[in-house]
Structure formats: C-alpha cells, structure tokens
C-alpha cells in the first residue's frame, strides 16, 4: 500500500465515527488518503477531524470554487488509484448502482477509472431488503468490491448483519485487493531470513551477525506484490509483516527442514539468511567449564540450504544473496555459477556496513543480465528486487527448463 493514493469516501452512517481510525490505518501502511465526505456524513463527524488525521483538506462539495480551482473533481477522480467508500450507506449504494452524479462523491465514482470498494454499514433489515440486495448485486457485476458487512450489535440496538468491518480489517482487505493485481499475484514465495544459531552447550551458541531486516523487507514487498509468502526466520527481533506466514527456526538444520517442508508449490525461493557455515561437531549436554587457558572446538559444515534447493529437480526460481568484503561482483558471479542460482543479489559488507543498517545497495546478477539497485532503504530495495524477480519469472514461465545455463 506504500505510496498508494486512496480516495476515501465517507457517507452518512453512524459507523462514520470509525472512519478517522481507518484513515490512520491506511496511512500507517504508507498510503496517501484524500477524504471526500457527503453532506450526511458531516452530521456524524466533522471535516476538521478528517483533515487532522489525513493531513489533507477534506473535499465535501461539488460547488466549492476554491477547492475545484486547486484540484478539479475530474482531476481528483484521476488522482485516485483506488476508491474506498466506508461507511457506505444503503442510500449511497443505491445512488452508486443508479449511476447518479448528484454530489461530489457520486460524481467522482462515476468519473474515476480506479477500482471501487465499498464497506456497507446499515441496519440489518435495510441490508436484507430486496432493493439493497439488487443494488449490491448490480455493483458486484460491475467489479465493485464489497467488503463486509460484519455481523453483531448494531447502533439501533438490534443484532444482525450490517456492521461496518473494523478499520484494521478494512485496511487489510483493501491491501489484499490492491495486491491481487500485483506482479507476483498467484505466486508462492519462500524466504529465509536472519542468522542461525548452532549450539555449543545449553547456554552458548555460534552465530552470524544478521538483523534479518532485508529478508523481512522482501517478505513485505513480495506480499505487497500479491504473492503468498512464507518466511522462515532465524532468531531476530522483528515483527512479522502483515499477511506473511512465519516459521521460526534456530539452527541451519532446522532451517533446511522447514524450507524443504514448505518447498512444494513454491515458485520463488529467496535465501537472505546468514546461515552459520559450521556447527560444533558435538553439543555438550552441560555447560562447558573453564578448565584450561585455551579451548579448541571441532566443527563440521552445516547443510547449504540454498545449494540444496537449487540442486533439486523440482527447483523453484532460486535467488541467493552474497555478502562480500571485496571483489563484490566477481565473487557474486562465482557464487551464482557454483550454487546454480537463477539470480544473486550482492552487497559489500566492509566495516559491517550493511549489518543492522536500514539502507543498503545491491548489484543483481541473473542469467545474462546485470542490474544495480542504488543506495536506498531496505524496503525500497526489496521492492526493486521483487520487481526484477517478477520480470525474470514472467520471461521464463514458458521455458520448459530453467535455471541451468547461467549468466
Ligand atoms: N547459504 C545457505 N546455507 C548455508 C550457507 C549459505 O543457504 N549453509 C546461502 C545464503 O543465504 C546466501 C548464499 O548462500 O544466499 C551465500 O552464502 P555465502 O556464505 O556467502 O556463500 P558461500 O558459497 O558459502 O561462500 P563463502 O566462501 O564466501 O562463505
């Protein structure tokens, strides 16, 4: 939803008191929100409230000369990337179904090419009325998305179907709706992130430095592009991006097991995890005591999760990461070949630059292609990388065999 321009229409129902909270939920997700109120909506909530939470002047009137001079209603209709009417009263649904243009909001709905979603809110008998049913059915055939309504206590004291969905749920449903047309719609993406921990004894472990931020940003970006996303995460302290399924693991062996069990049906595997390359040969049952001045540890290789996935006959599109301290591109290209990847994203990590940082830059190598994603926030980079993956995937979909001859 980042940067999406949402036109929020508020019509005159008691549920309008929840709409300022909806504006906040949408803005939290990075959307720009322009509120348009009907005359009846202003009987319930003031325009001042919406102006404060949206950070933009509210539009209420088709005949407001000053507002029209700033951005005419046709311009506003073009500005919107999606229109959400919440709450949508029975009267507004009827006007929308009838193609009326008798106030600013109805006119905008008629003039826009953006998709329209409505969140009905009304008394359960009004919702059940044949006239409303016919209007809603009519709107649905025109591609208007109907979100809700929910069932429960109503303002009139009755109980039934007709409550507006809660702001958080509306924001989530709208995000899913926007994502449904995304570049990775219908794809399943599996991502590893964070470090792994290899136990020495009950209180000690060997690990890698990794915040997990890049992998989590990729999960968020892939989800926003419409993918079903599974995130296999080592120990990190990051919140799970909304709509993403997360599986927490500890060691490289756990990570491999989780990845292999999630692999069926996966179209893209992205390996951002900083997997420990070695693990102690033995894990002590009790704390290792300080009995000598030096301590030698026998270590063995951990499984290479990325290479294991890339070596399978039923491999998805496989993307690796390379953190290099020198000869970034040369080393990354060598890894692309050695691990038989479809794509590799490389960055320089001298002075622990990229660790924990919120921004980064990447060189992306794929079969016969090279891209540079300039320094930016990890989410912006993740979006760029997701787009490159989607392009490569679309170009290869028709090929019977992929991922063999590289670069
Ligand atoms: N990786 C993995 N499992 C491992 C080690 C690495 O899945 N046990 C993945 C990482 O997630 C990353 C890629 O492999 O996507 C690159 O890892 P790196 O350790 O840099 O590559 P190596 O081939 O092990 O090279 P190096 O000799 O530089 O360690």
């Amino acid at each position: 939803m980042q940067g999406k321009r949402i036109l929020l229409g508020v019509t005159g129902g008691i549920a309008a008191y929840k709409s300022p909270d909806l504006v906040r939920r949408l803005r939290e997700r990075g959307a720009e929100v322009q509120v348009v109120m009907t005359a009846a909506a202003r009987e319930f909530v003031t325009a001042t409230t919406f102006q404060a939470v949206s950070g933009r002047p509210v539009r209420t009137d088709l005949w407001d000369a000053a507002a029209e001079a700033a951005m005419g209603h046709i311009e506003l209709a073009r500005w919107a990337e999606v229109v959400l009417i919440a709450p949508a009263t029975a009267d507004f649904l009827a006007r929308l179904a009838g193609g009326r243009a008798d106030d600013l909001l109805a006119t905008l709905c008629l003039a826009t090419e953006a998709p329209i979603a409505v969140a009905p809110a009304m008394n359960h008998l009004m919702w059940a009325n044949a006239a409303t049913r016919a209007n809603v059915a009519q709107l649905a055939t025109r591609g208007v998305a109907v979100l809700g309504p929910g069932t429960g206590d109503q303002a009139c004291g009755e109980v039934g179907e007709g409550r507006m969905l809660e702001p958080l749920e509306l924001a989530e449903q709208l995000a899913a709706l926007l994502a449904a047309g995304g570049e990775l719609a219908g794809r399943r993406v599996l991502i590893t992130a964070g470090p792994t921990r290899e136990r020495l004894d009950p209180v000690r472990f060997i690990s890698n430095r990794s915040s997990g931020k890049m992998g989590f940003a990729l999960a968020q970006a892939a989800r926003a592009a419409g993918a079903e996303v599974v995130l296999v995460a080592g120990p990190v302290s990051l919140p799970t991006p909304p709509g993403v399924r997360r599986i927490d693991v500890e060691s490289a062996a756990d990570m491999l097991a989780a990845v292999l069990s999630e692999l069926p049906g996966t179209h893209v595997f992205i390996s951002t995890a900083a997997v420990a390359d070695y693990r102690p040969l033995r894990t002590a049952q009790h704390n290792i005591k300080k009995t000598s001045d030096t301590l030698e540890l026998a270590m063995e290789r951990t499984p290479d999760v990325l290479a294991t996935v890339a070596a399978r006959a039923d491999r998805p599109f496989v993307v690796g990461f390379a953190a290099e301290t020198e000869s970034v591109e040369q080393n990354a290209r060598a890894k692309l070949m050695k691990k038989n990847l479809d794509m590799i994203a490389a960055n320089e990590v001298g002075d622990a630059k990229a660790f924990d940082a919120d921004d980064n830059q990447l060189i992306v190598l794929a079969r016969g292609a090279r891209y540079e994603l300039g320094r930016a926030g990890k989410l912006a980079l993740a979006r760029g990388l997701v787009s490159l993956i989607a392009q490569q995937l679309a170009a290869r979909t028709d090929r019977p065999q992929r991922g063999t001859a590289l670069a």
Side-chain angles (χ1 to χ4, degrees):
M1 215 178 248
Q2 186 69 34
K4 283 277 176 204
R5 298 185 302 272
I6 300 173
L7 194 147
L8 176 65
V10 182
T11 70
I14 181 62
Y17 83 90
K18 295 181 185 174
S19 301
D21 188 33
L22 173 59
V23 175
R24 300 192 70 160
R25 301 295 176 189
L26 298 171
R27 291 194 71 200
E28 266 168 19
R29 287 168 166 72
E32 284 182 58
V33 183
Q34 170 66 57
V35 177
V36 176
M37 301 176 79
T38 62
R42 283 182 286 157
E43 299 293 327
F44 293 89
V45 193
T46 69
T48 317
T49 304
F50 282 111
Q51 176 165 332
V53 291
S54 70
R56 306 171 75 98
V58 171
R59 297 289 296 266
T60 54
D61 194 353
L62 194 52
W63 310 112
D64 179 337
E68 277 293 310
M71 196 196 293
H73 61 276
I74 298 295
E75 226 178 308
L76 192 54
R78 272 200 218 111
W79 172 89
E81 288 178 276
V82 63
V83 176
L84 171 63
I85 315 290
T89 59
D91 176 66
F92 192 80
L93 295 176
R95 289 199 285 131
L96 195 59
R100 303 291 295 265
D102 46 4
D103 68 2
L104 177 62
L105 186 57
T107 306
L108 287 169
C109 289
L110 210 54
T112 193
E113 285 182 329
I116 299 176
V118 294
M122 67 198 72
N123 165 276
H124 68 107
L125 293 172
M126 291 169 79
W127 175 247
N129 189 289
T132 307
R133 312 276 4 109
N135 289 332
V136 170
Q138 168 77 261
L139 291 173
T141 62
R142 281 193 233 142
V144 172
V146 183
L147 312 181
T151 303
D153 290 337
Q154 299 211 294
C156 52
E158 295 176 27
V159 179
E161 196 179 6
R163 278 171 64 95
M164 185 173 87
L165 294 182
E166 294 304 320
L168 195 59
E169 191 169 352
L170 276 178
E172 260 156 34
Q173 289 209 16
L174 192 68
L177 209 68
L178 288 169
E183 287 177 297
L184 287 180
R187 306 285 195 179
R188 184 178 145 96
V189 178
L190 178 61
I191 302 173
T192 64
T196 64
R197 283 181 184 171
E198 313 300 329
R199 288 182 190 222
L200 271 169
D201 70 17
V203 296
R204 299 182 181 92
F205 55 79
I206 288 179
S207 190
N208 276 341
R209 187 166 175 177
S210 166
S211 68
K213 284 178 184 167
M214 194 65 220
F216 276 61
L218 274 164
Q220 188 176 341
R223 179 75 196 114
E228 175 198 343
V229 181
V230 180
L231 179 60
V232 177
V236 292
S237 49
L238 291 172
T240 312
V244 167
R245 188 154 66 82
R246 170 174 175 174
I247 300 168
D248 286 315
V249 296
E250 191 174 293
S251 66
D254 297 343
M255 186 169 273
L256 179 64
V259 164
L260 292 181
S261 86
E262 291 296 328
L263 205 57
T266 293
H267 300 99
V268 181
F269 175 64
I270 311 177
S271 183
T272 73
V275 185
D277 284 323
Y278 291 90
R279 66 185 166 206
L281 201 52
R282 274 178 301 276
T283 302
Q285 281 232 301
H286 300 286
N287 295 1
I288 299 171
K289 295 295 177 194
K290 301 186 279 294
T291 48
S292 59
D293 288 344
T294 58
L295 173 69
E296 274 183 30
L297 286 174
M299 309 272 276
E300 63 179 350
R301 288 289 299 271
T302 55
D304 189 316
V305 183
L306 178 61
T308 307
V309 171
R312 289 171 65 102
D314 61 347
R315 56 179 283 160
F317 185 87
V318 180
V319 185
F321 266 72
E324 304 294 344
T325 51
E326 54 173 358
S327 311
V328 178
E329 191 159 341
Q330 207 180 326
N331 286 335
R333 194 168 291 281
K335 257 172 218 179
L336 179 82
M337 309 294 276
K338 192 178 100 195
K339 294 198 186 186
N340 195 20
L341 311 177
D342 294 300
M343 185 183 267
I344 193 158
N347 63 324
E348 199 180 331
V349 291
D351 313 329
K353 260 188 235 160
F355 296 113
D356 239 350
D358 286 318
D359 66 350
N360 199 354
Q361 59 189 15
L362 295 173
I363 293 174
V364 182
L365 306 174
R367 188 194 310 188
R370 178 190 186 280
Y371 312 89
E372 275 183 32
L373 298 176
R375 184 156 290 282
K378 285 185 175 170
L379 188 55
L381 280 181
R383 280 199 210 103
L385 189 58
V386 159
S387 223
L388 293 179
I389 292 170
Q391 282 168 29
Q392 291 274 323
L393 205 55
R396 291 177 188 201
T397 301
D398 297 329
R399 300 187 189 186
Q401 285 215 316
R402 57 188 162 80
T404 41
L406 289 162

